[in-house]
DNA sequence: CTGACGCCCTGCAAGC
DNA sequence: TGCTTGCAGGGCGTCA
């Protein structure tokens, strides 16, 4: 499922085909995603030129020369298909560029979303207003993390999934980072030593960077926009590896926290 | 404010 | 073979 590295990879793929191009056709085919695609999306984007693409947390941002910004979220199963061979029931938004290249936002589960804001006010977009720092940015450090976790009694696993603490992590990379840092997922978030937070920040940065370099993970229905699969899933240390050996020699276990699977090694994560 | 939980949706895999 | 069941989980709403 798309977490930060997958969105980063997706945006890079889209940038290659959209940056500087005029959108000649914008066609929502099914508007009822997580929330409705804005009714004026077609009118506002058709004929506009894409000026920049970027990412905030798990959201992709597409700016145009009309001062509009399309903001998309891939939810659980969303992906952009480039030059799809066929259009099916799950292709919810079609975009064609000058030159005739067709793109499709495909999302079987429809947990994703597409929205439109003014570029100069994108930071006021509701999902962004209380969001924590980018984990790969300069505002994420052991100090800022300590402040965000101060007094929290919830587990560190739960806390790291809270986008207000740090933005863009999902279940996979939280499990991976906690294993890399040697921290038990059940440990109360507010009771982690500064030394271990330093390790955790490093682990988060390292796992995200490695995943981006590998082109993101592949889990069932995720694929890069160009159709190539991401290979980071082969590098998972604990995620999806219940019963297998951890690098430390321990046995990886799976538990449920807040209804979500947590993979960890009780031997080296304490 | 916090934490716990349910819900949205569909495809896939396991089990009977 | 064909059915049912459970699972995947991001983000948001509700509730105590």
């Amino acid at each position: 499922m798309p977490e930060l590295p997958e969105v980063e990879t997706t945006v890079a793929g889209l940038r290659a085909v959209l940056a500087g191009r005029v959108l000649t056709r914008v066609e929502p085919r099914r508007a009822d995603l997580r929330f409705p695609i804005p009714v004026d999306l077609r009118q506002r984007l058709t004929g506009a030129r894409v000026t920049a693409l970027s990412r905030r947390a798990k959201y992709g941002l597409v700016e145009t020369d009309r001062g509009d910004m399309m903001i998309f979220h891939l939810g659980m199963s969303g992906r952009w298909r480039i030059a799809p061979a066929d259009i099916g029931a799950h292709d919810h938004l079609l975009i064609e560029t000058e030159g005739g290249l067709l793109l499709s936002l495909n999302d079987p589960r429809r947990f994703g979303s597409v929205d439109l804001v003014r570029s100069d006010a994108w930071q006021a977009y509701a999902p962004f207003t209380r969001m924590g720092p980018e984990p790969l940015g300069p505002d994420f450090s052991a100090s800022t993390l300590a402040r965000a976790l101060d007094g929290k009694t919830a587990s560190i696993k739960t806390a790291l999934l809270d986008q207000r603490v740090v933005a863009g992590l999902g279940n996979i990379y939280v499990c991976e980072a906690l294993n890399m840092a040697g921290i038990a997922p059940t440990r109360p978030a507010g009771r982690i030593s500064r030394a271990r937070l330093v390790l955790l920040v490093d682990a988060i940065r390292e796992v995200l960077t490695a995943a981006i370099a590998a082109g993101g993970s592949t889990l069932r229905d995720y694929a890069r926009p160009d159709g190539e699969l991401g290979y980071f899933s082969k590098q998972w240390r604990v995620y999806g590896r219940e019963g297998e050996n951890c690098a430390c020699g321990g046995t990886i276990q799976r538990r449920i926290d807040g209804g979500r699977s947590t993979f960890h090694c009780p031997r080296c994560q304490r």
Side-chain angles (χ1 to χ4, degrees):
Chain A
M1 27 249 49
E3 298 182 30
L4 186 154
E6 289 72 33
V7 180
E8 183 74 25
T9 305
T10 293
V11 167
L14 290 176
R15 184 179 294 119
V17 295
L18 282 183
R21 304 271 159 73
V22 170
L23 307 180
T24 52
R25 180 161 73 110
V26 177
E27 182 187 337
R29 300 181 69 243
R30 177 163 187 166
D32 58 332
L33 306 187
R34 178 177 192 84
F35 48 80
I37 295 176
V39 291
D40 58 350
L41 183 99
R42 178 206 302 260
Q43 176 258 319
R44 282 166 68 180
L45 292 185
T46 303
R49 186 181 299 276
V50 175
T51 53
L53 295 94
S54 55
R55 177 192 59 74
R56 171 71 170 122
K58 300 172 192 172
Y59 292 81
L61 315 177
V62 182
E63 292 180 71
T64 77
D65 61 356
R66 291 179 182 169
D68 285 319
M69 176 187 281
M70 180 177 78
I71 301 180
F72 67 86
H73 193 292
L74 298 174
M76 292 287 302
S77 57
R79 60 182 178 142
W80 282 96
R81 305 167 70 205
I82 296 180
D86 48 64
I87 299 301
H90 303 312
D91 292 294
H92 306 310
L93 173 64
L94 303 183
I95 291 181
E96 198 170 326
T97 66
E98 51 180 331
L101 184 65
L102 184 65
L103 310 181
S104 168
L105 178 62
N106 183 283
D107 185 5
R109 273 165 272 188
R110 309 207 317 278
F111 277 21
S113 62
V114 177
D115 216 337
L116 199 58
V117 302
R118 294 298 291 171
S119 301
D120 57 8
W122 72 271
Q123 291 177 83
Y125 187 54
F128 296 155
T129 55
R130 295 188 176 179
M131 198 169 261
E134 284 290 323
L136 295 178
D139 296 333
F140 183 61
S141 66
S143 296
T144 59
L145 183 57
R147 210 168 305 138
L149 298 180
D150 184 42
K152 274 193 180 290
T153 58
S155 73
I156 186 64
K157 164 77 190 307
T158 302
L160 291 177
L161 288 174
D162 185 343
Q163 303 296 297
R164 294 169 298 184
V165 171
V166 56
L169 297 185
N171 204 36
I172 295 172
Y173 296 108
V174 166
C175 290
E176 293 297 301
L178 286 173
N179 177 259
M180 290 171 72
I183 297 171
T186 50
R187 184 170 278 268
R191 300 202 178 183
I192 299 176
S193 71
R194 176 57 67 101
R196 303 185 117 215
L197 288 184
V198 170
L199 292 177
L200 181 55
V201 166
D202 286 348
I204 289 169
R205 287 217 183 95
E206 187 178 332
V207 71
L208 294 179
T209 302
I212 291 169
S217 296
T218 299
L219 203 54
R220 295 208 173 90
D221 38 25
Y222 176 75
R224 275 161 57 183
D226 58 8
E228 293 296 310
L229 299 180
Y231 285 97
F232 190 71
S233 60
K234 299 184 195 304
Q235 297 177 39
W236 289 340
R237 300 160 60 109
V238 290
Y239 191 86
R241 306 181 71 133
E242 180 182 15
E244 296 181 37
N245 284 338
C246 176
C248 78
T251 302
I252 296 165
Q253 295 187 6
R254 174 177 176 264
R255 47 173 287 125
I256 304 294
D257 294 305
R260 286 183 191 161
S261 288
T262 302
F263 295 89
H264 68 111
C265 171
R267 181 162 179 226
C268 64
Q269 292 180 250
R270 306 203 163 263

